[in-house]
Amino acid sequence: MKLLTKITISFIAIGLSCCNQANIENNKTIIKTPKNVIFLISDGTGLSQISSAFYFKESMPNYKRFQNIGLIKTSSAEEDVTDSAAGATAFACGVKTYNSAIGVDVEKKDLQNIVEIASTKNIKTGVIATSSITHATPASFYAHVFDRGQEEDIALQLHKSEIDFFAGGGLNFFTKRSDKQNLLEEFRRNHFTIYTDNLSDFSQIAFSQKVGFLLAEYKMPKMEDGRGDFLSKATELGIEFLSKDNLGFFLMSEGSQIDWGGHSNDAPYLISELIDFDNVIGKVLDFAEKDGNTLVVVTSDHETGGFTLAAKKRKKEDGSVSSDYREISPTFSTGGHSATLIPVFAYGPGSEEFVGVYENNEIFEKILKVTHWDK
């Protein structure tokens, strides 16, 4: 009996060991290193802005497709309420800085950004925005200036940067400058193919070394003014271009004008831009699901407008006002930014790292942790 007991225990131990090894292997599969990272930023978007898609979009919002969700605190180094420059610098460089700073710390020293880090690993990089490409958020991923208003100085840095693909507005910062330079010539000398009329097909740029699209003098048009699916198409084109050599890529794509709808307290403007951004999320998740090696991170630099999905106010016959809970009436509490916590949505290899409550600059750290680009 003793011998039989020993044999039985041995078999159980072996079985448990095999199960543990299988679990380890499964865990390795779950937390495998992503080859690509797509970082989607919806400027000025808090939870209420996201919620609006669930009430005003005609189809199910793509936000619903995420399982791993966290929250970030957005305060800058010196202010409780951040601006887009400090917020984007925290994302791009991993350091909290003062409001208006682009790629520099509180002592105005240059910070290394994720594009510069990834490029040392031969990772291809790109930035896309519905603002000018020199605006605060995209600029933070390639430029270093003391103040976000220095857009001509920011423009001077793009052709010298490690960026391989860009698309947005801002043509005048490159061609109608106070110093009379035409930076399109500088782009060509730095191996860029530049388009200023419309997005091309991939077949037109497949053999280009670097590509840029400057499709408006300043910002791109509003969705309400006929921008169409520029952001979705530019993001898809950027993915196709950056992945053509199969080296891995980092792409930041921003829905810039959700923020502007909040600043102007214009609910239809805000909601139309938010729905456009949600469509981009869908295109990116479709790619990531098929690819299997892409981490998708979706968040915002801050909330704008103190946006609320309030019940509609109705006046009764006696002159009193009541709330009609059967209908939503979007409202605002400010024309500026707020300090509310901001949701983070993540999908793909490494997405578990983005669950929890943490500071905005930790997104930079988490991306480098799961990709190992800084090793």
Side-chain angles (χ1 to χ4, degrees), residues 75-106:
S75 299
S76 61
E78 300 175 347
E79 296 90 358
D80 288 334
V81 180
T82 191
D83 79 332
S84 293
T89 295
F91 292 151
C93 305
V95 175
K96 285 181 179 281
T97 188
Y98 61 92
N99 284 355
S100 293
I102 298 287
V104 298
D105 64 16
V106 292

Side-chain angles (χ1 to χ4, degrees), residues 82-366:
T82 191
D83 79 332
S84 293
T89 295
F91 292 151
C93 305
V95 175
K96 285 181 179 281
T97 188
Y98 61 92
N99 284 355
S100 293
I102 298 287
V104 298
D105 64 16
V106 292
E107 297 179 347
K108 299 185 176 179
K109 295 179 180 178
D110 287 3
L111 295 166
Q112 190 176 32
N113 62 51
I114 196 167
V115 165
E116 292 164 342
I117 293 169
S119 67
T120 66
K121 304 294 184 183
N122 293 320
I123 301 298
K124 298 296 183 180
T125 60
V127 292
I128 300 167
T130 56
S131 62
S132 67
I133 206 67
T134 54
H135 211 257
T137 301
S140 295
F141 288 85
Y142 65 83
H144 309 272
V145 296
F146 300 159
D147 190 280
R148 59 184 291 176
Q150 300 170 251
E151 289 192 71
E152 287 194 358
D153 294 332
I154 291 168
L156 272 172
Q157 298 182 43
L158 182 52
H159 69 270
K160 302 173 186 176
S161 74
E162 301 298 333
I163 295 293
D164 298 288
F165 178 97
F166 68 84
L171 177 62
N172 281 9
F173 294 113
F174 300 88
T175 59
K176 295 183 179 180
R177 300 169 50 83
S178 59
D179 60 12
K180 307 303 181 184
Q181 290 190 69
N182 184 342
L183 297 185
L184 299 191
E185 294 302 321
E186 296 299 323
F187 276 117
R188 295 183 182 104
R189 278 192 278 271
N190 283 273
H191 311 294
F192 274 94
T193 303
I194 299 294
Y195 295 84
T196 60
D197 46 5
N198 55 276
L199 289 172
S200 69
D201 293 326
F202 175 69
S203 60
Q204 294 175 262
I205 62 173
F207 299 102
S208 298
Q209 187 171 336
K210 295 186 173 190
V211 175
F213 296 90
L214 294 167
L215 304 182
E217 292 183 350
Y218 295 104
K219 67 179 182 180
M220 297 295 293
K222 300 177 182 180
M223 284 300 293
E224 294 176 312
D225 293 338
R227 187 174 73 237
D229 55 358
F230 159 79
L231 191 57
S232 288
K233 284 187 173 180
T235 302
E236 288 184 294
L237 185 61
I239 290 170
E240 194 168 10
F241 181 78
L242 295 173
S243 61
K244 67 187 178 75
D245 297 321
N246 203 30
L247 296 173
F249 67 84
F250 171 84
L251 176 63
M252 190 290 296
S253 184
E254 183 196 30
S256 318
Q257 298 190 40
I258 303 165
D259 175 65
W260 301 346
H263 278 299
S264 61
N265 287 185
D266 184 336
Y269 182 13
L270 184 159
I271 293 168
S272 65
E273 296 292 332
L274 187 282
I275 290 173
D276 178 54
F277 183 78
D278 184 73
N279 290 335
V280 178
I281 293 174
K283 298 293 186 182
V284 167
L285 288 179
D286 289 347
F287 168 80
E289 288 171 359
K290 183 178 179 180
D291 176 70
N293 292 309
T294 298
L295 168 65
V296 179
V297 180
V298 182
T299 192
S300 175
D301 46 3
H302 55 76
E303 192 276 340
T304 302
F307 185 63
T308 305
L309 297 177
K312 191 172 185 65
K313 298 293 184 182
R314 296 195 185 279
K315 185 176 286 189
K316 297 181 179 179
E317 291 182 3
D318 61 4
S320 63
V321 177
S322 64
S323 296
D324 184 351
Y325 284 4
R326 296 169 298 178
E327 188 173 352
I328 291 171
S329 179
T331 60
F332 298 87
S333 65
T334 179
H337 300 171
S338 71
T340 184
L341 298 184
I342 296 297
V344 181
F345 302 82
Y347 173 86
S351 58
E352 298 86 355
E353 278 292 325
F354 297 84
V355 173
V357 182
Y358 44 94
E359 299 289 339
N360 57 356
N361 57 306
E362 292 182 56
I363 286 183
F364 169 90
E365 298 167 7
K366 291 174 183 293

Side-chain angles (χ1 to χ4, degrees), residues 31-37 292-295 348-350 367 370-371 373:
I31 61 172
K32 69 178 182 177
T33 302
K35 184 175 184 179
N36 314 308
V37 176
N293 292 309
T294 298
L295 168 65
I367 291 175
V370 299
T371 59
W373 288 343

